[in-house]
Amino acid sequence: METHRLVLTEDLNQYGFLFGGRLLSWADELGYIAASNDFPDANFVTIGMGEVAFKKPVKNGAILCLKAVQSKRGTTSVSYEISVTAGQSTEQIFSTDISFVNVYANGQKRALSH
């Protein structure tokens, strides 16, 4: 799955670059959407992120390309590799791995179907 984001002034930190927390939020959201599309009957919650690597600063006005690729599937969980590039470049500016678990309304794990 792929999506794009425009970096706006409200996304910047005190030094004028993209705030890392904002990018983490976008990555988590993309992973959730990818998982929900792949398993439409599931109720996912985020259970973890792997190593988070911010490789380059991002300036105001940059257009980011965020990609999610399923990397692992378990009985109740699924993981996605998230990568981000800026503009027309293919050079990664960010990457991480995000895992989601399918749960019942009471929070207990539930097997994935599909």
Side-chain angles (χ1 to χ4, degrees), residues 5 13 18 20 22 36 46 49 51 54 62 65 68 76 82 86 90 94-95 100 114:
R5 289 283 187 156
N13 65 21
L18 178 60
R22 181 83 70 203
S36 295
T46 304
M49 284 188 175
E51 178 182 352
F54 297 96
C65 178
T76 61
I82 307 294
T90 58
F94 171 85
S95 63
F100 302 90
H114 181 273

Side-chain angles (χ1 to χ4, degrees), residues 2-15:
E2 179 178 309
T3 192
H4 293 83
R5 289 283 187 156
L6 173 63
V7 177
L8 301 172
T9 303
E10 60 263 29
D11 302 320
L12 305 179
N13 65 21
Q14 68 274 24
Y15 302 110

Side-chain angles (χ1 to χ4, degrees), residues 13-114:
N13 65 21
Q14 68 274 24
Y15 302 110
F17 296 105
L18 178 60
F19 179 57
R22 181 83 70 203
L23 187 51
L24 287 171
S25 174
W26 292 342
D28 189 33
E29 179 182 64
L30 174 64
Y32 173 80
I33 292 169
S36 295
N37 283 338
D38 288 346
F39 304 92
D41 295 328
N43 297 310
F44 286 114
V45 294
T46 304
I47 57 170
M49 284 188 175
E51 178 182 352
V52 173
F54 297 96
K55 299 171 184 173
K56 289 189 157 226
V58 178
K59 294 183 179 181
N60 193 24
I63 298 172
L64 302 182
C65 178
L66 296 88
K67 295 181 183 178
V69 176
Q70 190 178 133
S71 58
K72 184 178 174 185
R73 179 185 172 183
T75 305
T76 61
S77 63
V78 63
S79 297
Y80 289 82
E81 289 290 332
I82 307 294
S83 63
V84 180
T85 56
Q88 300 298 320
S89 173
T90 58
E91 184 178 6
Q92 273 190 4
I93 60 159
F94 171 85
S95 63
T96 193
D97 175 81
I98 303 178
S99 297
F100 302 90
V101 67
N102 182 29
V103 296
Y104 291 104
N106 66 5
Q108 290 203 313
K109 292 180 181 180
R110 180 174 85 156
L112 289 172
S113 59
H114 181 273

